[in-house]
């Protein structure tokens, strides 16, 4: 099988538990024997983010043991700069936290590899917005696809919401987390009146969010966005992620700028 290593941790005296994402078995833990013994020929390439090929031997107590691990692709350039290391670490953590064990999903597997390849080939000029795109795409894929085509309450279209906002700047739409998508200005007022929480946003942020969800890595990378607009859409992505997670997450933009 081919798989991307998501993490490794010590287990027993000389072994490690390696979490690998494959198209066939999803995210899965395997035991690598003897990896802590100085240099083990089989396993020196088992580093998080490496793409490897491997065999499995079934062991006792439901554990699967890795055999014959071979490096296939390692994303060398990602590890050469702090900003890409940061993005890699965050994406690995998100995959480890959000994916359920043993759920085969070949689209998810290819999605993650495409992200790693893009980061690797653009490592010297990468922008943080790619991580925002990665996270919103990941959550969309996991079933939290934000509804951005129409108001989730009255179904007013995105185009009409946009027109309204351009004609009357106080007619501000919002993002309604509990409803999973956008609200037009009138529904925003209505939901606020009954005390529900939403995230007020301009049509530009909604537009950028649409792009992050639907565009290729290359299009996100080339997308021109000013710092203030990025700050707003980033906040929306971050709040969206917190809303749909059981744990808290550090703000990746804050970590980046410290
Ligand atoms: Zn509405």
């Amino acid at each position: 099988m081919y798989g991307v290593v998501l993490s490794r941790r010590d287990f027993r005296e000389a072994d490690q538990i390696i979490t690998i994402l494959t198209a066939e078995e999803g995210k899965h833990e395997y035991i690598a024997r003897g990896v802590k013994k100085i240099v083990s020929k089989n396993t020196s390439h088992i580093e998080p983010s490496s793409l490897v090929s491997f065999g499995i031997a079934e062991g006792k107590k439901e554990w699967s043991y890795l055999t014959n691990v071979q490096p296939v692709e390692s994303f060398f350039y990602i590890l050469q700069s702090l900003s890409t290391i940061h993005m890699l670490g965050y994406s690995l953590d998100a995959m480890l936290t959000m994916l359920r064990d043993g759920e085969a999903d070949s689209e998810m597997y290819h999605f993650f590899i495409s992200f790693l390849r893009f980061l690797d080939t653009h490592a010297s000029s990468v922008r943080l917005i790619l991580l925002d795109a990665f996270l919103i795409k990941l959550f969309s894929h996991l079933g939290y696809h934000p509804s951005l085509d129409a108001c989730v309450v009255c179904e007013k279209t995105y185009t009409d919401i946009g027109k309204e906002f351009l004609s009357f700047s106080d007619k501000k739409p919002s993002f309604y987390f509990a409803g999973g998508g956008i609200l037009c200005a009138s529904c925003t007022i209505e939901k606020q009146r009954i005390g529900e929480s939403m995230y007020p946003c301009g049509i530009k942020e909604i537009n950028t969010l649409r792009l992050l969800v639907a565009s290729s890595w290359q299009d996100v990378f080339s997308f021109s966005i000013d710092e203030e607009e990025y700050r707003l859409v980033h906040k929306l992505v971050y709040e969206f992620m917190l809303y749909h997670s059981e744990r808290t997450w550090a703000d990746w933009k804050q970590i980046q700028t410290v």
Side-chain angles (χ1 to χ4, degrees):
M1 272 198 296
Y2 291 93
V4 186
V5 179
L6 298 180
S7 76
R8 56 189 291 171
R9 62 178 196 274
D10 291 346
F11 180 64
R12 298 190 298 227
E13 213 161 279
D15 303 338
Q16 286 195 331
I17 294 177
I18 315 289
T19 307
I20 303 182
L21 178 71
T22 63
E24 296 84 355
E25 299 196 343
K27 184 185 83 172
H28 200 284
E29 291 184 336
Y30 305 90
I31 293 185
R33 275 193 170 130
V35 270
K36 289 168 74 187
K37 286 179 203 152
I38 321 210
V39 180
S40 167
K41 220 185 356 178
N42 256 343
T43 53
S44 54
H45 303 286
I46 310 179
E47 291 301 332
S49 85
S50 304
L51 180 60
V52 294
S53 74
F54 62 98
I56 299 166
E58 296 299 329
K60 289 176 196 163
K61 293 185 184 171
E62 297 165 12
W63 281 109
S64 302
Y65 290 84
L66 290 180
T67 60
N68 193 29
V69 181
Q70 301 288 341
V72 174
E73 196 171 339
S74 60
F75 302 101
F76 175 79
Y77 293 104
I78 296 181
L79 303 174
Q80 303 307 303
S81 99
L82 282 178
S83 54
T84 41
I85 289 172
H86 165 57
M87 290 167 73
L88 172 67
Y90 209 100
S91 62
L92 286 167
D93 194 13
M95 297 294 276
L96 281 165
T97 306
M98 298 307 299
L99 302 191
R100 282 206 209 112
D101 287 344
E103 239 169 51
D105 183 344
S106 71
E107 244 180 73
M108 181 64 82
Y109 168 76
H110 292 291
F111 162 73
F112 193 47
I113 290 187
S114 74
F115 178 66
L116 295 175
R117 286 197 178 125
F118 193 88
L119 274 192
D120 197 56
T121 47
H122 295 75
S124 56
S125 51
V126 86
R127 300 159 64 205
L128 194 58
I129 195 171
L130 275 166
L131 185 56
D132 294 81
F134 172 80
L135 293 165
I136 195 77
K137 284 173 189 291
L138 171 65
F139 276 73
S140 295
H141 192 90
L142 291 170
Y144 305 114
H145 195 289
S147 294
L148 302 171
D149 293 333
C151 171
V152 293
V153 172
C154 73
E155 297 181 357
K156 182 180 279 183
T157 64
Y158 165 76
T159 318
D160 287 346
I161 295 175
K163 279 185 195 156
E164 193 178 62
F165 179 65
L166 291 174
S167 319
F168 312 95
S169 60
D170 60 330
K171 295 258 183 193
K172 213 170 180 189
S174 64
F175 193 90
Y176 177 40
F177 296 109
I182 50 172
L183 285 181
C184 70
S186 349
C187 293
T188 298
I189 292 166
E190 184 55 27
K191 289 285 174 194
Q192 270 166 347
R193 199 179 59 77
I194 58 170
E196 293 212 48
S197 67
M198 67 265 324
Y199 185 81
C201 53
I203 206 76
K204 250 179 152 180
E205 288 106 278
I206 296 173
N207 209 14
T208 307
L209 193 62
R210 289 165 69 94
L211 175 119
L212 297 186
V213 172
S215 302
S216 65
W217 302 124
Q218 181 61 51
D219 286 350
V220 172
F221 177 73
S222 329
F223 178 59
S224 146
I225 183 170
D226 64 40
E227 188 50 39
E228 177 57 11
E229 194 56 38
Y230 171 61
R231 193 183 65 77
L232 294 172
V233 77
H234 162 73
K235 197 149 186 291
L236 179 54
V237 174
Y238 180 54
E239 295 290 334
F240 181 85
M241 180 167 168
L242 289 181
Y243 184 84
H244 290 295
S245 298
E246 284 168 13
R247 56 164 269 194
T248 58
W249 294 88
D251 181 342
W252 56 97
K253 188 168 184 290
Q254 297 301 328
I255 312 174
Q256 175 83 355
T257 46
V258 164

